[in-house]
Amino acid sequence: MLKTPLGRLRFIGLIEGISYLVLLGIAMPLKYLLEMPIAVKIAGSLHGVFFVLFMLALAHVFFANRWSILRALGAFVASLIPFGNFVLDAQLKKEEASMKRS
C-alpha cells in the first residue's frame, strides 16, 4: 500500500479520517460535557499534523498521476466531511486495482 503515491494517499487518508472522527466524536464531547479541553488540544494537534500530511500526499498524487484540478478538489472536500475519507478510500482502492490490472 505504501509503495505508490496513491497507496500512500490512501494510508494517510485513513489515518486522517480516523483522527477527525476522534476529534469530533470523542475529544469535543470530552471538552464540552466533561470540561476536559486537553482532549481537543491533543486530538486537534494530531489531526492537524495528519491533515497536513494528507495535503502533501494529495499534492504528490496530483502531480504523479496527473489528476485534474476537480479530482484533487474532490479529494480535498472529502477530507473535510466526516467519513468522507473512507468514501474516498473506496474509490481510490478501485482506481489502484484498475491501475494494477493495466
Side-chain angles (χ1 to χ4, degrees):
M1 181 181 222
L2 298 175
K3 293 180 181 178
T4 65
L6 196 57
R8 287 187 289 275
L9 178 65
R10 287 185 57 219
F11 178 74
I12 193 63
L14 290 174
I15 294 172
E16 194 268 338
I18 291 167
S19 74
Y20 193 31
L21 294 178
V22 167
L23 178 62
L24 295 176
I26 297 173
M28 295 289 281
L30 285 174
K31 178 180 179 177
Y32 292 108
L33 298 177
L34 299 177
E35 297 181 9
M36 294 178 60
I38 190 71
V40 170
K41 287 184 180 187
I42 294 169
S45 296
L46 288 172
H47 172 67
V49 168
F50 294 138
F51 185 76
V52 169
L53 291 174
F54 179 81
M55 290 296 110
L56 292 172
L58 179 59
H60 188 200
V61 169
F62 175 75
F63 291 110
N65 291 19
R66 297 179 182 228
W67 274 12
S68 70
I69 293 285
L70 286 177
R71 181 81 195 272
L73 185 61
F76 171 73
V77 169
S79 74
L80 301 177
I81 300 169
F83 298 100
N85 274 349
F86 305 108
V87 174
L88 176 65
D89 181 64
Q91 294 172 348
L92 295 178
K93 187 176 182 180
K94 289 178 188 175
E95 181 178 328
E96 198 172 37
S98 71
M99 288 173 65
K100 287 181 182 177
R101 281 185 261 142
S102 328

